[in-house]
Amino acid sequence: KLQETISPRSSRCQTGYRAVARYEPSEVHIAGGQPVIMAGGDYYEVFPTDEATLVALVGDASGHGLKACMSIITMHTLGRMLGTSRFDDTSSFVGEINSMLCSNSIVQSGGGFITLLYLVMDTQAHRASWTSAGHPPALHWHLGQRGWAIDNARGMALGVIDDAEFTPSRGRLRPGEALMFYTDGVIESADQDLDEGIDWLRHAALQAVETRGFAGMPKRVLKKVPRGDDDRAMLVLERQPLTSPE
């Protein structure tokens, strides 16, 4: 039930944009003949704040189970308390959330922290700003390159240093291009480091796009991830191809 309080029912976008996402828990138990998703710390959300602004978040709380779930619910709640008027400046928003989490007892217990990738898209100018707080790098599907480029945005995880500084990345999406955000459960395993995991993801996602496009891509990619002890979440934000010249 806790997980359901922050699980998005839909991924709403303005006309011309589409978000596809997938969350897979590390634990699913059977109760009364029905699958029950156990609480975890991975989280994503997509929502418009006005007719031209789209917000996307992917977060991951350290640890597993109830503690991780409570931490991510805390971040979600604090973000909504700041209000939509503060959403546009991604680095300032992440900085304020970080300051709040540094003094939050739920997150701080046991040395906890949260990684976050927070994006704001201007759906009329088609320009995006995103800020990473210790999160795996975003991947950008470039039409000209026919592949996923790695964004170099970096930053300290949330809840670690009160005065941490965050620097945004910026980019523009052309028709048919996309941004991909994901949690470390997608790329991390005992037999490969994160760089190898990112290379694997770029290759798997390239194959997924070339065979069937972006629709349903997170589900198809996550099916290839070896089952481990970590939750997994993936979000792909696509600017849809134009039906007529721009």
Side-chain angles (χ1 to χ4, degrees):
K1 293 297 184 182
L2 280 174
Q3 198 81 40
E4 292 177 1
T5 64
I6 59 169
S7 297
R9 300 291 188 271
S10 63
S11 297
R12 297 174 295 129
C13 295
Q14 288 88 343
T15 300
Y17 282 80
R18 175 174 60 180
V20 288
R22 177 81 173 176
Y23 167 71
E24 292 189 356
S26 60
E27 292 184 86
V28 178
H29 294 178
I30 303 298
Q34 297 295 322
V36 177
I37 295 174
M38 305 306 291
D42 285 18
Y43 158 75
Y44 73 85
E45 189 171 16
V46 182
F47 58 93
T49 60
D50 57 44
E51 63 182 13
T53 306
L54 182 66
V55 167
L57 306 91
V58 176
D60 186 3
S62 61
H64 303 282
L66 184 59
K67 161 65 165 59
C69 185
M70 291 297 295
S71 294
I72 213 72
I73 289 173
T74 299
M75 186 196 71
H76 169 82
T77 303
L78 291 175
R80 289 308 178 94
M81 285 172 57
L82 288 178
T84 57
S85 64
R86 308 287 291 279
F87 277 123
D88 288 353
D89 185 340
T90 60
S91 59
S92 294
F93 176 85
V94 171
E96 290 201 40
I97 291 291
N98 176 64
S99 294
M100 294 177 180
L101 294 178
C102 280
S103 60
N104 183 272
S105 59
I106 295 175
V107 175
Q108 292 298 310
S109 63
F113 61 88
I114 296 174
T115 70
L116 173 69
L117 204 152
Y118 171 70
L119 170 138
V120 173
M121 170 69 72
D122 181 332
T123 59
Q124 293 182 348
H126 311 296
R127 296 192 179 277
S129 170
W130 61 94
T131 295
S132 173
H135 207 76
L139 300 180
H140 185 175
W141 174 263
H142 288 280
L143 279 178
Q145 300 175 12
R146 295 298 297 177
W148 294 95
I150 301 174
D151 174 61
N152 61 5
R154 295 291 187 273
M156 179 68 67
L158 302 176
V160 179
I161 299 175
D162 188 21
D163 59 353
E165 295 185 359
F166 301 94
T167 303
S169 289
R170 294 182 173 86
R172 187 176 190 271
L173 283 187
R174 296 186 296 164
E177 293 191 339
L179 291 167
M180 185 201 322
F181 312 118
Y182 51 94
T183 56
D184 62 7
V186 178
I187 57 173
E188 199 170 45
S189 67
D191 59 352
Q192 67 181 11
D193 62 27
L194 290 181
D195 288 338
E196 292 173 328
I198 293 170
D199 287 342
W200 173 87
L201 175 58
R202 292 173 68 199
H203 179 70
L206 170 62
Q207 289 183 318
V209 174
E210 289 188 333
T211 54
R212 295 172 60 185
F214 296 110
M217 192 194 97
K219 182 178 181 179
R220 288 182 278 123
V221 172
L222 293 186
K223 283 181 65 175
K224 298 181 179 181
V225 177
R227 179 66 60 179
D229 61 355
D230 200 0
D231 302 341
R232 294 164 294 279
M234 178 180 291
L235 168 67
V236 177
L237 178 63
E238 173 197 8
R239 182 183 174 192
Q240 296 183 286
L242 297 174
T243 55
S244 59
E246 211 172 19

